Amino acid sequence: MLAGKGVLALATATMLTLAACSGDTPQLMHLHASGDGPDEFAILPTKPLQMPTDLKALPEPTLGGTNLTDPTPEADIALALGGRLRDGTGIPAGDSALVNHAARYGRSASIRPELAADDLQYRRDNDGRLLERLFSVNVYFKAYAKQSLDQHAELERWRNRGVRTVSAPPAKADE
């Protein structure tokens, strides 16, 4: 009887260990929703839908490409947000001063892959405890708490310097 309980405990421990080690990319944010996001974004067309005359003549879908409903999505977004369309690639002439100022201490062409690798390692190091991983507890905010901005302290700092700021909601009792 005692040996049976020991085997059951060992099997449970093995199952918990294997469940905790599963997956290569750590998931810190566990959203308990169905699908990849709100359904509203998946089903609302931006322009009226039309039935084509010949269904066999439809182009093959391309990931990130255009479609019949929304042929120019990036241009439509730029116009909706008050921006302007660009006629080419590269940095627009009006933004070159900003880009040069931002790069005054140097820049790295491989910054995105470097940051992605560093963040993946950080998420692996702060993946939560065994039971948090097993029960899909959201540990994102705890993992990045040291890197978050205290919005109320920052707002007060700017106000003390005499800078006009927008209003902000009051701090919660636990903040």
Side-chain angles (χ1 to χ4, degrees):
M1 173 119 166
L2 207 52
K5 288 182 181 180
V7 170
L8 182 63
L10 183 61
T12 303
T14 303
M15 181 184 70
L16 288 174
T17 303
L18 290 176
C21 296
S22 65
D24 186 35
T25 305
Q27 294 293 321
L28 304 182
M29 179 77 76
H30 295 283
L31 300 176
H32 302 289
S34 62
D36 293 333
D39 290 338
E40 291 84 4
F41 295 119
I43 61 172
L44 289 179
T46 56
K47 295 181 181 153
L49 296 176
Q50 298 174 355
M51 180 62 86
T53 55
D54 185 12
L55 294 177
K56 293 182 180 182
L58 289 174
E60 286 292 320
T62 57
L63 184 61
T66 61
N67 59 57
L68 295 176
T69 304
D70 199 5
T72 56
E74 291 179 358
D76 294 343
I77 290 171
L79 289 174
L81 296 176
R84 47 184 180 190
L85 301 176
R86 290 196 298 149
D87 290 338
T89 60
I91 301 167
D95 294 340
S96 62
L98 174 66
V99 172
N100 290 334
H101 183 72
R104 66 190 180 279
Y105 299 119
R107 60 181 141 197
S108 172
S110 63
I111 190 67
R112 289 179 188 256
E114 289 173 16
L115 287 176
D118 289 347
D119 187 58
L120 178 61
Q121 187 58 46
Y122 185 82
R123 286 184 287 136
R124 283 183 178 147
D125 294 342
N126 296 285
D127 196 17
R129 298 182 190 132
L130 175 68
L131 291 177
E132 289 172 336
R133 289 191 306 266
L134 181 66
F135 292 109
S136 299
V137 173
N138 187 352
V139 294
Y140 177 86
F141 296 106
K142 183 174 75 171
Y144 287 101
K146 290 182 262 179
Q147 298 176 18
S148 67
L149 176 69
D150 182 357
Q151 61 185 348
H152 299 289
E154 190 67 14
L155 182 66
E156 194 60 35
R157 183 175 78 89
W158 283 106
R159 286 181 177 168
N160 290 339
R161 290 181 171 196
V163 177
R164 292 181 60 192
T165 59
V166 297
S167 64
K172 295 179 183 173
D174 60 346
E175 289 183 358

